[in-house]
Amino acid sequence: MASFHMITTLLFLLTIMLGASNAQLSATFYAKTCPNVSTIVSNVLQQAQGNDIWIFPKIVRLHFHDCFVHGCDASLLLNGTDGEKTATPNLSTEGYEVIDDIKTALEKACPRVVSCADVLALAAQISVSLGGGPTWQVPLGRRDSLTAHREGTGSIPTGHESLANIATLFKSVGLDSTDLVALSGVHTFGRARCAAFMDRLYNFNNKTGKTDPTLNATYANTLKQRCPKGGDTKSLIDLDEQSSLTFDNKYFSNLQNRRGLLQTDQELFSTNGAETVAIVNRFASSQSQFFSSFAKAMIKMGNLKPLTGTNGEIRLDCKKVN
């Protein structure tokens, strides 16, 4: 009888240990169950870029918007009128169909194995790398949420907030000033709608006719031509006027020249006494330092409240729960 209890206890302890190990994200999580996962994701993304040259920044943005609401759990991808997709901060997000294509390809190769949350994390890393940016080992093993978190979408950073507000938001999820500046550097590629910055041109601080004084005057006039008052607020403008299709560090030299498109971008450099100013200068002078810090920050962000072990599920279709 004693040996039976001993065996039962050992089995129980082993179960706990296995559960604990499952709760840790690991770059080799799919080494045996889906060894070609990265290649499959990369192939789909490269095919998608043939149809949409802006797909890489769109995919990275999906990962950001997912992680900043209750953690990286693919809750953003769920359909439904009460979901996150239709909340105001996500109305301009795109690229969902490419995530679906990746998931379809993975289900053919490794059925019921790779979560949609991991698809987002991997697709973001590979998009950055294919766009000319750094490569890093993505910790994997996330599971998918069973519900959306529409009420949490207010925590997604917008382009209209002060540096103090953004810094507080980042700090609340364990991301420091270096992480903030590095992750903001994702705006080295992609585009933004006129609606995201028109207040800087015509109504800064709710003062009619006032232009943001931190905005380079020549650049402001160019933007006013591209985004005229009363014009189409959905028109798209390059976030990085120098190389908006390439992931590099020119975003930071833009800030030094007061040519950051979004208010939250420019405030990283133009806020007197802010510790972010020195970080912007460092990244502007060293692309390798920016790339290294960006990779570290992406890993930290990707580790925000992941569902692991027996929590959540592995969705068969990223748009709906099983």
Side-chain angles (χ1 to χ4, degrees):
M1 183 66 71
S3 61
F4 173 79
H5 283 302
M6 185 178 294
I7 292 172
T8 303
T9 302
L10 286 172
L11 287 173
F12 176 71
L13 290 173
L14 182 60
T15 300
I16 292 176
M17 291 171 63
L18 287 173
S21 65
N22 286 340
Q24 302 299 315
L25 301 184
S26 166
T28 58
F29 188 82
Y30 298 113
K32 293 182 179 179
T33 55
C34 195
N36 295 323
V37 59
S38 294
T39 300
I40 293 170
V41 174
S42 181
N43 288 342
V44 175
L45 283 170
Q46 291 182 75
Q47 291 173 10
Q49 197 208 21
N51 299 318
D52 180 3
I53 59 172
W54 299 101
I55 194 60
F56 296 156
K58 289 177 181 179
I59 294 296
V60 180
R61 188 168 182 235
L62 289 181
H63 184 43
F64 273 86
H65 282 227
D66 179 50
C67 288
F68 268 91
V69 180
H70 283 256
C72 310
D73 60 3
S75 57
L76 171 63
L77 305 180
L78 290 171
N79 280 348
T81 55
D82 60 344
E84 296 170 33
K85 281 183 184 179
T86 55
T88 300
N90 292 322
L91 290 176
S92 60
T93 52
E94 299 178 89
Y96 296 100
E97 69 287 345
V98 175
I99 297 298
D100 289 336
D101 290 344
I102 293 171
K103 179 63 172 173
T104 297
L106 287 170
E107 283 301 309
K108 288 181 180 178
C110 323
R112 300 172 179 267
V113 170
V114 183
S115 69
C116 298
D118 277 348
V119 167
L120 280 174
L122 260 180
Q125 180 271 309
I126 292 170
S127 291
V128 168
S129 297
L130 290 175
T135 297
W136 63 93
Q137 291 290 314
V138 181
L140 300 166
R142 301 166 190 80
R143 289 167 66 85
D144 302 321
S145 67
L146 300 174
T147 58
H149 310 290
R150 187 182 180 91
E151 78 289 348
T153 55
S155 64
I156 297 173
T158 72
H160 306 279
E161 298 180 63
S162 68
L163 175 58
N165 287 348
I166 294 292
T168 298
L169 175 60
F170 273 63
K171 188 176 181 179
S172 70
V173 294
L175 298 172
D176 61 25
S177 294
T178 300
D179 299 323
L180 166 58
V181 178
L183 291 174
S184 296
V186 77
H187 288 162
T188 182
F189 68 177
R191 300 181 293 179
R193 295 182 178 185
C194 291
F197 57 86
M198 283 185 71
D199 56 328
R200 297 186 71 198
L201 305 177
Y202 304 109
N203 194 37
F204 187 64
N205 284 346
N206 294 317
K207 296 179 181 179
T208 303
K210 183 175 176 61
T211 301
D212 184 349
T214 66
L215 195 58
N216 175 281
T218 302
Y219 186 46
N221 288 333
T222 299
L223 293 175
K224 288 177 180 178
Q225 293 174 15
R226 299 285 306 277
C227 301
K229 190 182 296 184
D232 183 4
T233 60
K234 293 183 179 179
S235 294
L236 291 163
I237 307 297
D238 290 1
L239 283 161
D240 175 357
E241 60 177 340
Q242 297 189 64
S243 56
S244 205
L245 282 170
T246 304
F247 197 100
D248 54 31
N249 70 331
K250 292 179 181 177
Y251 161 87
F252 297 102
S253 59
N254 290 339
L255 301 187
Q256 291 175 323
N257 294 320
R258 299 193 297 122
R259 301 174 82 95
L261 185 64
L262 304 181
Q263 179 182 341
T264 46
D265 290 329
Q266 191 58 53
E267 288 206 7
L268 296 173
F269 183 76
S270 297
T271 301
N272 290 333
E275 61 181 330
T276 55
V277 177
I279 303 170
V280 169
N281 289 334
R282 180 156 52 89
F283 291 166
S285 64
S286 173
Q287 181 164 282
S288 62
Q289 287 194 40
F290 165 47
F291 279 11
S292 175
S293 294
F294 183 82
K296 292 175 183 176
M298 285 292 283
I299 291 171
K300 286 175 70 174
M301 187 189 74
N303 201 35
L304 294 179
K305 299 180 182 177
L307 298 174
T308 58
T310 57
N311 294 318
E313 65 179 10
I314 307 297
R315 282 185 222 144
L316 302 181
D317 182 338
C318 292
K319 299 186 295 295
K320 60 185 181 181
V321 297
N322 295 341

PDB file of all heavy atoms in Angstrom, residues 257-270:
ATOM      1  N   ASN A 257      14.800  65.770 -36.488  1.00  0.00           N
ATOM      2  CA  ASN A 257      14.530  66.868 -37.420  1.00  0.00           C
ATOM      3  C   ASN A 257      13.096  67.387 -37.313  1.00  0.00           C
ATOM      4  O   ASN A 257      12.638  68.135 -38.167  1.00  0.00           O
ATOM      5  CB  ASN A 257      14.798  66.400 -38.857  1.00  0.00           C
ATOM      6  CG  ASN A 257      16.267  66.097 -39.098  1.00  0.00           C
ATOM      7  OD1 ASN A 257      17.136  66.818 -38.621  1.00  0.00           O
ATOM      8  ND2 ASN A 257      16.543  65.030 -39.834  1.00  0.00           N
ATOM      9  N   ARG A 258      12.405  66.985 -36.245  1.00  0.00           N
ATOM     10  CA  ARG A 258      11.014  67.398 -35.971  1.00  0.00           C
ATOM     11  C   ARG A 258      10.070  67.009 -37.117  1.00  0.00           C
ATOM     12  O   ARG A 258       9.178  67.737 -37.487  1.00  0.00           O
ATOM     13  CB  ARG A 258      10.949  68.902 -35.686  1.00  0.00           C
ATOM     14  CG  ARG A 258      11.758  69.326 -34.486  1.00  0.00           C
ATOM     15  CD  ARG A 258      11.472  70.731 -34.015  1.00  0.00           C
ATOM     16  NE  ARG A 258      11.806  71.741 -35.006  1.00  0.00           N
ATOM     17  CZ  ARG A 258      10.942  72.615 -35.499  1.00  0.00           C
ATOM     18  NH1 ARG A 258       9.696  72.611 -35.103  1.00  0.00           N
ATOM     19  NH2 ARG A 258      11.346  73.503 -36.395  1.00  0.00           N
ATOM     20  N   ARG A 259      10.310  65.828 -37.651  1.00  0.00           N
ATOM     21  CA  ARG A 259       9.483  65.326 -38.749  1.00  0.00           C
ATOM     22  C   ARG A 259       8.838  63.980 -38.390  1.00  0.00           C
ATOM     23  O   ARG A 259       8.667  63.107 -39.235  1.00  0.00           O
ATOM     24  CB  ARG A 259      10.316  65.218 -40.036  1.00  0.00           C
ATOM     25  CG  ARG A 259      10.905  66.557 -40.462  1.00  0.00           C
ATOM     26  CD  ARG A 259      11.849  66.421 -41.640  1.00  0.00           C
ATOM     27  NE  ARG A 259      11.147  66.377 -42.908  1.00  0.00           N
ATOM     28  CZ  ARG A 259      10.916  67.415 -43.691  1.00  0.00           C
ATOM     29  NH1 ARG A 259      11.327  68.619 -43.332  1.00  0.00           N
ATOM     30  NH2 ARG A 259      10.291  67.278 -44.845  1.00  0.00           N
ATOM     31  N   GLY A 260       8.505  63.819 -37.114  1.00  0.00           N
ATOM     32  CA  GLY A 260       7.746  62.656 -36.686  1.00  0.00           C
ATOM     33  C   GLY A 260       6.280  62.862 -37.018  1.00  0.00           C
ATOM     34  O   GLY A 260       5.719  63.922 -36.716  1.00  0.00           O
ATOM     35  N   LEU A 261       5.647  61.881 -37.627  1.00  0.00           N
ATOM     36  CA  LEU A 261       4.281  62.082 -38.118  1.00  0.00           C
ATOM     37  C   LEU A 261       3.257  62.164 -36.993  1.00  0.00           C
ATOM     38  O   LEU A 261       2.392  63.040 -36.992  1.00  0.00           O
ATOM     39  CB  LEU A 261       3.906  60.955 -39.082  1.00  0.00           C
ATOM     40  CG  LEU A 261       2.540  61.099 -39.773  1.00  0.00           C
ATOM     41  CD1 LEU A 261       2.513  62.339 -40.675  1.00  0.00           C
ATOM     42  CD2 LEU A 261       2.218  59.846 -40.594  1.00  0.00           C
ATOM     43  N   LEU A 262       3.329  61.262 -36.039  1.00  0.00           N
ATOM     44  CA  LEU A 262       2.349  61.234 -34.965  1.00  0.00           C
ATOM     45  C   LEU A 262       2.848  62.026 -33.755  1.00  0.00           C
ATOM     46  O   LEU A 262       4.044  62.070 -33.472  1.00  0.00           O
ATOM     47  CB  LEU A 262       2.058  59.789 -34.539  1.00  0.00           C
ATOM     48  CG  LEU A 262       1.580  58.837 -35.644  1.00  0.00           C
ATOM     49  CD1 LEU A 262       1.300  57.457 -35.058  1.00  0.00           C
ATOM     50  CD2 LEU A 262       0.334  59.384 -36.336  1.00  0.00           C
ATOM     51  N   GLN A 263       1.934  62.616 -33.026  1.00  0.00           N
ATOM     52  CA  GLN A 263       2.289  63.385 -31.836  1.00  0.00           C
ATOM     53  C   GLN A 263       3.066  62.532 -30.841  1.00  0.00           C
ATOM     54  O   GLN A 263       4.067  62.968 -30.272  1.00  0.00           O
ATOM     55  CB  GLN A 263       1.029  63.938 -31.169  1.00  0.00           C
ATOM     56  CG  GLN A 263       1.302  64.739 -29.904  1.00  0.00           C
ATOM     57  CD  GLN A 263       0.025  65.227 -29.248  1.00  0.00           C
ATOM     58  OE1 GLN A 263      -1.027  65.282 -29.871  1.00  0.00           O
ATOM     59  NE2 GLN A 263       0.111  65.577 -27.976  1.00  0.00           N
ATOM     60  N   THR A 264       2.613  61.295 -30.642  1.00  0.00           N
ATOM     61  CA  THR A 264       3.285  60.413 -29.679  1.00  0.00           C
ATOM     62  C   THR A 264       4.696  60.060 -30.128  1.00  0.00           C
ATOM     63  O   THR A 264       5.551  59.758 -29.281  1.00  0.00           O
ATOM     64  CB  THR A 264       2.487  59.113 -29.478  1.00  0.00           C
ATOM     65  OG1 THR A 264       2.100  58.596 -30.750  1.00  0.00           O
ATOM     66  CG2 THR A 264       1.244  59.357 -28.648  1.00  0.00           C
ATOM     67  N   ASP A 265       4.947  60.081 -31.427  1.00  0.00           N
ATOM     68  CA  ASP A 265       6.308  59.854 -31.913  1.00  0.00           C
ATOM     69  C   ASP A 265       7.192  61.058 -31.593  1.00  0.00           C
ATOM     70  O   ASP A 265       8.242  60.925 -30.968  1.00  0.00           O
ATOM     71  CB  ASP A 265       6.304  59.617 -33.426  1.00  0.00           C
ATOM     72  CG  ASP A 265       5.686  58.291 -33.817  1.00  0.00           C
ATOM     73  OD1 ASP A 265       5.794  57.331 -33.030  1.00  0.00           O
ATOM     74  OD2 ASP A 265       5.089  58.220 -34.901  1.00  0.00           O
ATOM     75  N   GLN A 266       6.760  62.234 -32.015  1.00  0.00           N
ATOM     76  CA  GLN A 266       7.588  63.422 -31.860  1.00  0.00           C
ATOM     77  C   GLN A 266       7.857  63.757 -30.402  1.00  0.00           C
ATOM     78  O   GLN A 266       8.925  64.265 -30.050  1.00  0.00           O
ATOM     79  CB  GLN A 266       6.938  64.625 -32.554  1.00  0.00           C
ATOM     80  CG  GLN A 266       7.857  65.835 -32.669  1.00  0.00           C
ATOM     81  CD  GLN A 266       9.149  65.499 -33.421  1.00  0.00           C
ATOM     82  OE1 GLN A 266       9.135  64.972 -34.523  1.00  0.00           O
ATOM     83  NE2 GLN A 266      10.297  65.787 -32.792  1.00  0.00           N
ATOM     84  N   GLU A 267       6.905  63.464 -29.521  1.00  0.00           N
ATOM     85  CA  GLU A 267       7.090  63.791 -28.104  1.00  0.00           C
ATOM     86  C   GLU A 267       8.224  62.997 -27.464  1.00  0.00           C
ATOM     87  O   GLU A 267       8.765  63.401 -26.445  1.00  0.00           O
ATOM     88  CB  GLU A 267       5.782  63.587 -27.335  1.00  0.00           C
ATOM     89  CG  GLU A 267       4.734  64.642 -27.645  1.00  0.00           C
ATOM     90  CD  GLU A 267       3.747  64.855 -26.521  1.00  0.00           C
ATOM     91  OE1 GLU A 267       3.932  64.276 -25.437  1.00  0.00           O
ATOM     92  OE2 GLU A 267       2.784  65.611 -26.733  1.00  0.00           O
ATOM     93  N   LEU A 268       8.604  61.889 -28.052  1.00  0.00           N
ATOM     94  CA  LEU A 268       9.747  61.130 -27.535  1.00  0.00           C
ATOM     95  C   LEU A 268      11.009  61.976 -27.549  1.00  0.00           C
ATOM     96  O   LEU A 268      11.891  61.818 -26.704  1.00  0.00           O
ATOM     97  CB  LEU A 268       9.974  59.864 -28.366  1.00  0.00           C
ATOM     98  CG  LEU A 268       8.877  58.803 -28.365  1.00  0.00           C
ATOM     99  CD1 LEU A 268       9.214  57.708 -29.371  1.00  0.00           C
ATOM    100  CD2 LEU A 268       8.685  58.214 -26.972  1.00  0.00           C
ATOM    101  N   PHE A 269      11.098  62.879 -28.526  1.00  0.00           N
ATOM    102  CA  PHE A 269      12.291  63.713 -28.674  1.00  0.00           C
ATOM    103  C   PHE A 269      12.066  65.161 -28.241  1.00  0.00           C
ATOM    104  O   PHE A 269      12.989  65.829 -27.779  1.00  0.00           O
ATOM    105  CB  PHE A 269      12.758  63.703 -30.138  1.00  0.00           C
ATOM    106  CG  PHE A 269      14.025  64.467 -30.378  1.00  0.00           C
ATOM    107  CD1 PHE A 269      15.255  63.935 -30.003  1.00  0.00           C
ATOM    108  CD2 PHE A 269      13.994  65.736 -30.963  1.00  0.00           C
ATOM    109  CE1 PHE A 269      16.422  64.647 -30.211  1.00  0.00           C
ATOM    110  CE2 PHE A 269      15.163  66.451 -31.171  1.00  0.00           C
ATOM    111  CZ  PHE A 269      16.383  65.912 -30.794  1.00  0.00           C
ATOM    112  N   SER A 270      10.855  65.653 -28.379  1.00  0.00           N
ATOM    113  CA  SER A 270      10.584  67.080 -28.173  1.00  0.00           C
ATOM    114  C   SER A 270      10.059  67.434 -26.794  1.00  0.00           C
ATOM    115  O   SER A 270       9.739  68.588 -26.537  1.00  0.00           O
ATOM    116  CB  SER A 270       9.592  67.581 -29.242  1.00  0.00           C
ATOM    117  OG  SER A 270      10.154  67.465 -30.531  1.00  0.00           O
TER     118      SER A 270
END
